[in-house]
């Protein structure tokens, strides 16, 4: 059975969450920006070096599957 102080602590945490005072809420726009910038970097690397990357992966897979 929960104690009185435990119930009070849970209610206080719920009240903080409802008020928006949650310190672990995070920074959603920051994470969105990081994700978009990462995708842009991947594209910036992939577009000019696509043929070299495909050739390297193909060679690596061929050497693994043929054993040589």
């Amino acid at each position: 059975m929960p104690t009185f102080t435990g119930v009070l602590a849970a209610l206080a945490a719920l009240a903080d969450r409802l008020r928006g005072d949650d310190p672990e809420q995070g920074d959603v726009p920051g994470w969105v920006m990081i994700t978009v910038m990462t995708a842009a970097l991947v594209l910036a690397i992939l577009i000019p070096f696509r043929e070299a990357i495909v050739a390297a992966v193909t060679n690596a897979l061929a050497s693994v599957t043929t054993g040589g």
Side-chain angles (χ1 to χ4, degrees):
M1 175 141 223
T3 63
F4 182 68
T5 43
V7 172
L8 283 179
L11 287 175
L14 178 62
D16 284 344
R17 189 172 278 266
L18 291 175
R19 279 195 306 265
D21 295 338
D22 187 13
E24 296 185 18
Q25 185 175 2
D27 182 19
V28 174
W31 285 108
V32 171
M33 182 181 70
I34 289 171
T35 304
V36 169
M37 289 177 66
T38 302
L41 284 173
V42 168
L43 286 176
I45 292 170
L46 184 63
I47 289 172
F49 299 108
R50 180 176 179 204
E51 293 162 4
I53 292 171
V54 169
V57 171
T58 304
N59 289 339
L61 290 175
S63 69
V64 169
T65 56
T66 60

